[in-house]
C-alpha cells in the first residue's frame, strides 16, 4: 500500500519548484493533490497534467495565500471538491533581499505577508477541519536562515524563523486532537531561482556544504513525505534541516 493512499494534501505555492516536487512525490504515494499559486498559468496547468499521470485527483487553485479571506475561501473550495484535507504544506514564499540599512518597509511587509502570514491564514482555515477529523499533518517550509540568520536577508530570515515558531506552537496547541505540525528548513536547493546565480557563486556555496553539492527539490520532497505520512506519527514540533550538513 502507498504511504499516502486515500489522503488529500493541500500545498501552497506548488505550481513550480519545491512545491511542485512535493506535490508529485505525494501523488506518487497515492495522495490527491490540491495546490495553490497566485495564478494558475501554463506552468500550473502543466503541473496538473503531470500529477494526473499518477491516477489521483488534482486541481490547482488561483489564490493569494497572503490574503486571509482568499485562504479561507480556497480551503472551502478544496473541501467542496475533495471532501477533506489531511495534509497542509505551507510552501508559498518570496524573497526581497537587501541590507537592513537599505531595506524598504514594502520589502519587509511583502516577505512577512507572503511567507509567514500565509501560513497563519491556511492553518487558521484548516484547523477546524483537522480537529473534526482528529487527525492531520501540517508542514511549514522554513529555511536554514530561519535558524541561523543571514546578512542581507533580515526579512526572509525573520519570516522563516516565524514559520518554525508557528509550527512548534501549533504542535503544542493541537497535538491532543491528533494534529501534528513540523517545519522543514532547506539549505541551498537548486531551483529556477538559484539557476540565475553566477556559476562562481554556486561553487562558493557548495564549498560550504559538507556533502559538496546543492540539494534538489526532491531531497526536500522526500522529507516532506516522511512528515506527511504515518512514518512520522510520533514526530511533532520539530525542525528538520535539509541542508547537506551546511548548518550544523
Amino acid at each position: 500500500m502507498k504511504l499516502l493512499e486515500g489522503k488529500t494534501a493541500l500545498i501552497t505555492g506548488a505550481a513550480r519548484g519545491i512545491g511542485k516536487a512535493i506535490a508529485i512525490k505525494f501523488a506518487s504515494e497515492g495522495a490527491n493533490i490540491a495546490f495553490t499559486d497566485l495564478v494558475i498559468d501554463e506552468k500550473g496547468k502543466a503541473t496538473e497534467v503531470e500529477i494526473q499521470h499518477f491516477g489521483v485527483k488534482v486541481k490547482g487553485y488561483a489564490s493569494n495565500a497572503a490574503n486571509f479571506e482568499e485562504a479561507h475561501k480556497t480551503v472551502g473550495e478544496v473541501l467542496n471538491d475533495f471532501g477533506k484535507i489531511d495534509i497542509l504544506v505551507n510552501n508559498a514564499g518570496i524573497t526581497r533581499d537587501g541590507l537592513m540599512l537599505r531595506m524598504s518597509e514594502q520589502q519587509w511587509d511583502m516577505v512577512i505577508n507572503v511567507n509567514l502570514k500565509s501560513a497563519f491564514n491556511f492553518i487558521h482555515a484548516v484547523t477546524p477541519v483537522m480537529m473534526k477529523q482528529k487527525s492531520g499533518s501540517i508542514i511549514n517550509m522554513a529555511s536554514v536562515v530561519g535558524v541561523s540568520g543571514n546578512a542581507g536577508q533580515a526579512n526572509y530570515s525573520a519570516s522563516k524563523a516565524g514559520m518554525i515558531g508557528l509550527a512548534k506552537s501549533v504542535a503544542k496547541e493541537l497535538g491532543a486532537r491528533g494534529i501534528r505540525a513540523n517545519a522543514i528548513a532547506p539549505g541551498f536547493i537548486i531551483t529556477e531561482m538559484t539557476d540565475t546565480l553566477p556559476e562562481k557563486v554556486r561553487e562558493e556555496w557548495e564549498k560550504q556544504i559538507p556533502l559538496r553539492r546543492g540539494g534538489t527539490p526532491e531531497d526536500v520532497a522526500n522529507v516532506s513525505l516522511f512528515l506527511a505520512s504515518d512514518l512520522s506519527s510520533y514526530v511533532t514540533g520539530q525542525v528538520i534541516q535539509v541542508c547537506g550538513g551546511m548548518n550544523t
Side-chain angles (χ1 to χ4, degrees):
M1 185 174 174
K2 294 181 177 180
L3 287 173
L4 301 179
E5 194 75 49
K7 293 186 181 292
T8 295
L10 170 56
I11 307 165
T12 66
R16 53 186 62 77
I18 290 173
K20 178 181 177 179
I22 292 170
I24 289 172
K25 177 63 68 173
F26 285 8
S28 74
E29 288 293 338
N32 296 313
I33 304 296
F35 71 91
T36 76
D37 221 299
L38 198 55
V39 293
I40 301 300
D41 53 15
E42 289 183 6
K43 287 189 176 181
K45 292 293 184 183
T47 297
E48 279 187 338
V49 171
E50 195 169 344
I51 292 172
Q52 284 170 355
H53 292 157
F54 294 99
V56 300
K57 184 174 181 178
V58 58
K59 185 174 180 180
Y61 298 82
S63 177
N64 178 4
N67 183 286
F68 185 82
E69 288 76 18
E70 280 195 40
H72 278 256
K73 179 173 178 285
T74 300
V75 167
E77 291 173 350
V78 173
L79 286 172
N80 186 60
D81 293 335
F82 290 82
K84 62 176 183 170
I85 299 171
D86 302 291
I87 303 155
L88 170 66
V89 181
N90 289 306
N91 173 73
I94 60 170
T95 57
R96 293 293 185 273
D97 296 347
L99 295 172
M100 177 59 74
L101 185 65
R102 300 187 181 92
M103 185 173 291
S104 68
E105 181 183 14
Q106 183 185 33
Q107 285 175 305
W108 175 271
D109 288 346
M110 283 182 68
V111 170
I112 295 297
N113 285 337
V114 174
N115 295 9
L116 180 56
K117 185 171 183 283
S118 64
F120 162 75
N121 292 342
F122 274 91
I123 292 173
H124 190 276
V126 304
T127 292
V129 180
M130 291 184 173
M131 286 179 69
K132 188 175 181 180
Q133 295 171 176
K134 295 184 178 178
S135 67
S137 176
I138 296 169
I139 302 168
N140 282 356
M141 201 56 58
S143 168
V144 291
V145 303
V147 178
S148 63
N150 195 35
Q153 287 192 307
N155 50 2
Y156 187 76
S157 299
S159 72
K160 295 303 186 178
M163 290 285 269
I164 292 169
L166 178 59
K168 287 179 174 288
S169 298
V170 169
K172 291 186 175 182
E173 282 191 28
L174 302 180
R177 298 300 185 101
I179 301 165
R180 299 182 295 108
N182 294 284
I184 297 175
F188 184 74
I189 306 297
I190 300 168
T191 62
E192 289 180 15
M193 191 182 297
T194 58
D195 282 343
T196 62
L197 294 174
E199 186 64 29
K200 188 174 181 180
V201 172
R202 286 181 56 171
E203 288 175 357
E204 286 301 314
W205 265 104
E206 289 172 354
K207 287 178 184 177
Q208 300 173 40
I209 302 170
L211 290 184
R212 293 296 187 269
R213 68 171 179 87
T216 66
E218 289 71 27
D219 289 324
V220 181
N222 287 334
V223 176
S224 301
L225 175 62
F226 167 70
L227 291 176
S229 74
D230 290 340
L231 291 175
S232 61
S233 62
Y234 201 56
V235 179
T236 193
Q238 304 304 307
V239 185
I240 300 179
Q241 298 188 62
V242 185
C243 62
M246 180 177 72
N247 194 37
T248 56

